[in-house]
Amino acid sequence: MKKTIDVQAAVAVAASEAIAAKTQGTFGVGGVMLDQFGTVLKSLHNNVIRHGLIFDPTAHGERQLIDWYYAERAKGRELPPPHEITIVTSLDPCAMCTGAILAAGFSMVAAAPDTKAGINYNGSAFFPSLPQPLQRQAEATFSYPAVLGSSSYARRGAGAAPKPFFIGKTIAEPTQALCSLVFEATSAGVMDLFNIDPPGSALKDPATLPADHAIVRALKRACPDALTYRGTPQRPDAGLAPYLQQAMARDKAQGGKGDAVALLDAFGNLLLCTHGRQNASGIRTAFMEATRAYAQLRYKLMEGADAATQTEVRQYLGHPKDGTFVFALGPDESALSFMNLGAYGSTMEGALPESNPAQFQYVLPGMPEEELHALCGRLPPLYRNLIRIRPQQVADAALVAALS
Ligand SMILES: Nc1ccnc(=O)[nH]1
């Protein structure tokens, strides 16, 4: 086999992407995708923040590389199968990206650790956060190369051996330090941007706006059904069933299992309802579509707008923290479901409001509640201790019956 690249060289490319990400004001993380010969197919960086606004909470480097891979294949480009492809990332993947990488079946090489959100947060390369079969898969495909040196950045190699095409299999200490420092320089500041929206008590009801208001028109463009259902806040009822059923049918028509998610605001208004798009990309679940659609709706209304307009948008379209995500199908033990839990965490990036403990609800359970809560209790510290992800079943029996 023709060997063409050192781990060090690939990490250096990821590190320079990470610097570009910091320059943009988003999480300082970058990544590259390599084929089975070590050829760089694509390099890119985190895009969660643009122009100081949340652009896409799912736009982590690794997740974008995977969607890029599926998009290229959909365009007809011949790319090797996922098991021959390696993602090299400047920072240990979060829960979302871990689920996405495992669902797609890529190999992964990580440089700097992330002790809060990284799947290898404890450094063991043992992955206790993952459901059992996924632990085995990660142990066989996730590599943490040795960093040679004597500073705090030095480490022994852990996890799987990097693919044989890599010539040198270690990371230089300054490059590893760069990956860590660039991320650490951005992390707190970016997380703060997820917590500057008005509190639930200061939000305004978009259903009171005239139909030709820019916010209402944007909502309707994102989802024609927006504002046509309103339930009791935090208590979705059977009135939501037809919307979820329609999205489930669309998901099934694409070969899915009926993956559908609705987002309700703090007043109980339906804002949008999405289905999976796995024919476009294997990782485009309904939740990924929902959280992206809502973030981009807010972004488009605020980007380049004056301060008064931005304030108005934030009042009528609050952070999803103060709303309710309603999943037709609850979390299960699959990699895509793990990705969704992580993406939920990446949407929140901070504690949920105490006034809204049931922000994450599902209609039909995907696993017994106790097992689900145990799974959430094993997630890396950010998800377990700060966000405290705790999905619960909707209270309304008629909604459950309607989807059963
Ligand atoms: N591992 C990562 C954490 C945060 N953002 C990213 O793009 N990647």
Side-chain angles (χ1 to χ4, degrees):
M1 186 186 302
K2 204 168 109 223
K3 299 190 177 197
T4 57
I5 197 167
D6 294 316
V7 164
Q8 164 59 24
V11 171
V13 176
S16 58
E17 288 284 357
I19 295 168
K22 182 188 182 314
T23 309
Q24 180 175 309
T26 189
F27 287 118
V29 186
V32 298
M33 182 173 270
L34 306 173
D35 71 9
Q36 71 273 40
F37 308 113
T39 310
V40 174
L41 297 172
K42 179 76 181 168
S43 78
L44 49 69
H45 61 69
N46 184 291
N47 272 302
V48 168
I49 304 295
R50 285 188 186 171
H51 304 294
L53 298 167
I54 299 171
F55 172 71
D56 174 358
T58 74
H60 290 195
E62 307 91 309
R63 196 284 295 161
Q64 292 177 94
L65 284 170
I66 299 171
D67 274 316
W68 175 85
Y69 171 89
Y70 284 120
E72 288 294 296
R73 286 233 312 225
K75 283 189 227 159
R77 177 164 169 189
E78 279 199 33
L79 286 170
H83 72 267
E84 292 183 356
I85 297 236
T86 302
I87 290 175
V88 178
T89 172
S90 68
L91 190 75
D92 191 31
C94 72
M96 168 182 73
C97 293
T98 297
I101 294 165
L102 295 174
F106 298 109
S107 292
M108 192 285 299
V109 174
D114 176 355
T115 56
K116 297 195 177 86
I119 196 63
N120 188 28
Y121 68 92
N122 65 9
S124 71
F126 186 64
F127 313 114
S129 300
L130 290 169
Q132 280 286 337
L134 298 179
Q135 273 181 38
R136 299 289 94 76
Q137 188 188 344
E139 283 164 18
T141 54
F142 284 15
S143 310
Y144 298 87
V147 179
L148 305 178
S150 53
S151 75
S152 62
Y153 296 102
R155 72 175 181 204
R156 286 167 192 272
K163 290 262 186 184
F165 66 76
F166 285 110
I167 312 163
K169 296 184 193 288
T170 59
I171 301 171
E173 208 171 23
T175 308
Q176 180 78 346
L178 183 58
C179 291
S180 271
L181 292 166
V182 173
F183 174 66
E184 284 162 14
T186 58
S187 173
V190 172
M191 286 176 77
D192 285 347
L193 295 176
F194 284 73
N195 294 288
I196 58 174
D197 288 288
S201 57
L203 294 175
K204 296 181 176 170
D205 183 352
T208 63
L209 290 170
D212 63 350
H213 192 284
I215 291 176
V216 177
R217 283 191 284 127
L219 266 171
K220 293 278 183 188
R221 234 178 291 126
C223 176
D225 291 333
L227 306 179
T228 60
Y229 162 83
R230 183 185 178 100
T232 307
Q234 306 178 15
R235 288 188 62 95
D237 57 33
L240 186 60
Y243 301 94
L244 286 172
Q245 283 166 324
Q246 185 184 47
M248 290 172 84
R250 290 193 178 150
D251 183 75
K252 286 179 182 162
Q254 303 191 20
K257 287 190 295 185
D259 184 20
V261 171
L263 174 60
L264 310 178
D265 71 9
F267 302 90
N269 295 308
L270 175 66
L271 297 182
L272 48 88
C273 187
T274 57
H275 53 85
R277 294 189 183 276
Q278 286 179 51
N279 54 0
S281 163
I283 60 168
R284 285 180 66 173
T285 60
F287 180 72
M288 298 294 267
E289 296 294 300
T291 189
R292 268 199 292 269
Y294 188 62
Q296 294 193 0
L297 170 71
R298 285 174 26 117
Y299 178 85
K300 281 187 207 144
L301 285 164
M302 286 194 275
E303 204 272 302
D306 56 32
T309 304
Q310 289 204 9
T311 302
E312 188 185 35
V313 172
R314 291 185 194 277
Q315 285 168 334
Y316 284 100
L317 299 176
H319 190 276
K321 277 186 178 72
D322 289 296
T324 310
F325 279 114
V326 186
F327 287 59
L329 309 177
D332 59 27
E333 299 221 296
S334 69
L336 285 176
S337 191
F338 196 83
M339 174 189 74
N340 283 340
L341 287 175
Y344 179 81
S346 292
T347 298
M348 301 308 166
E349 290 288 0
L352 296 170
E354 271 171 36
S355 55
N356 193 20
Q359 202 292 345
F360 184 151
Q361 300 190 25
Y362 59 83
V363 181
L364 303 177
M367 63 198 288
E369 191 180 49
E370 270 170 48
E371 284 173 35
L372 174 58
H373 290 161
L375 174 65
C376 293
R378 288 194 303 268
L379 290 172
L382 172 80
Y383 311 94
R384 179 208 315 157
N385 298 334
L386 183 65
I387 305 168
R388 298 207 182 90
I389 299 179
R390 197 175 168 81
Q392 61 184 61
Q393 192 172 25
V394 296
D396 187 67
L399 176 53
V400 179
L403 263 53
S404 295

